[in-house]
Amino acid sequence: MSRVPGAPRTPRPRRYLLCAPRYFEVRYAINPWMRADVPVDTGRALAQWESLVRVHRGLGHTVETAEPVAGLPDMVFAANAALVLDGRALGSRFHAEQRRAEAAAYGVWFAAAGYEVRGAASVCEGEGDLTPVGGVVLAGTGFRTARAAHREVREFFGVPVVGLRLVDPYFYHLDTALFALDDENIAYYPGAFSPGSRAKLARLFPDAVIATRDDALAFGLNSVSDGAHVIVAPAATELIGELERRGYLPVPVDLSEFHKAGGGAKCCTQELHGAPPAPPLAGA
Ligand code: ARG
């Protein structure tokens, strides 16, 4: 479909699940960003997270929240908890021992909200490595989510899955290197992917927004788009310019405290894709 360059984009209302960073800290290191000797300012983290929630709601989106659990500092990264499509949730199985208990905590939320929940049998880190775009799911592997989990996604949801190999430890999750702009297009940093995966992406998304390494290192690709507005790290300046040229509306939100744990806006935002679960029948 052709569009006039720079013409306004159409946002679609979204439902998100977030988890307040009440117990957020960096006290173990499971990716190259994390350094236990760099303190987290918990008050600042909470203020940044609250502004993210305000921005989501201000754009007209629904924000649900899961209750944080003491001793699970990375639980703030709600995107890692599951992949949710049309009332069904594939719950995560975390790679790092330190994060495994998050799966049960989020499972409780999904079950209470009426989702049909299945726990992944292989290592699977939810939207950290799984990005629905259009009718397919782009699926990262290499550092966290296992290839076997891609097969689980395909079977459980009945969707085509496109496997992508991540090769740079700074971009250990797919959502640090790529995000969906809308149902048709993505933005990504090619250097995070193996040559074969780069070729696949170029073939599938010939008009993709290509980001620089600097923008990727600034967490520019850990963005959340509603099809028009793109919540983006303010330091990803080249990317912001390119998004504007393409007719998107960048909304810079500073989440720098979370960069210390290797996360940004998208990591904090689980999208509840598709229709919510049907409410139980009265009297049933
Ligand atoms: N410290 C967390 C980890 O290494 C950060 C996760 C960030 N989330 C994301 N979706 N990339 O697992």
Side-chain angles (χ1 to χ4, degrees), residues 19-272:
C19 178
R22 206 174 309 145
Y23 306 108
F24 175 59
E25 57 180 337
V26 176
R27 52 159 204 196
Y28 49 77
I30 55 171
N31 70 54
W33 300 93
M34 300 177 89
R35 296 185 40 180
D37 58 335
V38 178
V40 164
D41 181 334
T42 316
R44 194 157 176 263
L46 191 57
Q48 290 180 344
W49 181 86
E50 282 167 351
S51 69
L52 175 65
V53 171
R54 261 197 311 276
V55 169
H56 283 320
R57 291 196 170 130
L59 292 171
H61 305 305
T62 303
V63 174
E64 311 275 3
T65 55
E67 198 52 33
V69 174
L72 297 177
D74 276 337
M75 204 177 156
V76 63
F77 300 116
N80 304 162
L83 176 66
V84 177
L85 296 176
D86 291 324
R88 312 182 85 199
L90 183 65
S92 293
R93 174 179 292 262
F94 287 89
H95 180 254
E97 204 265 306
Q98 294 95 327
R99 297 197 66 184
R100 295 221 175 110
E102 292 178 38
Y106 275 105
V108 169
W109 188 92
F110 286 111
Y115 286 89
E116 178 192 338
V117 196
R118 151 97 66 91
S122 314
V123 169
C124 185
E125 298 202 350
E127 280 201 314
D129 276 319
L130 302 167
T131 304
V133 48
V136 309
V137 173
L138 306 181
T141 190
F143 297 100
R144 302 285 180 90
T145 299
R147 282 271 184 210
H150 297 182
R151 290 191 285 277
E152 289 187 64
V153 170
R154 191 180 289 134
E155 254 334 284
F156 184 63
F157 295 110
V159 288
V161 172
V162 178
L164 298 166
R165 178 161 292 278
L166 296 160
V167 295
D168 180 333
Y170 278 94
F171 309 109
Y172 58 94
H173 267 154
L174 183 65
D175 74 358
T176 62
L178 176 153
F179 70 97
L181 286 160
D182 46 40
D183 294 335
E184 275 135 46
N185 207 4
I186 61 168
Y188 69 103
Y189 165 55
F193 297 91
S194 71
S197 295
R198 244 179 270 171
K200 237 187 221 183
L201 287 169
R203 203 184 291 274
L204 286 171
F205 302 100
D207 290 328
V209 170
I210 302 297
T212 62
R213 181 174 181 81
D214 280 351
D215 281 344
L217 287 170
F219 285 88
L221 294 166
N222 200 247
S223 289
V224 182
S225 174
D226 64 9
H229 313 94
V230 181
I231 297 179
V232 58
T237 49
E238 280 186 69
L239 176 64
I240 289 173
E242 183 56 17
L243 292 171
E244 278 169 347
R245 279 188 289 281
R246 303 282 196 112
Y248 296 96
L249 299 163
V251 182
V253 176
D254 178 20
L255 292 160
S256 48
E257 282 309 305
F258 300 98
H259 298 177
K260 296 173 180 171
K266 174 58 207 174
C267 302
C268 293
T269 307
Q270 161 87 49
E271 183 169 347
L272 304 167

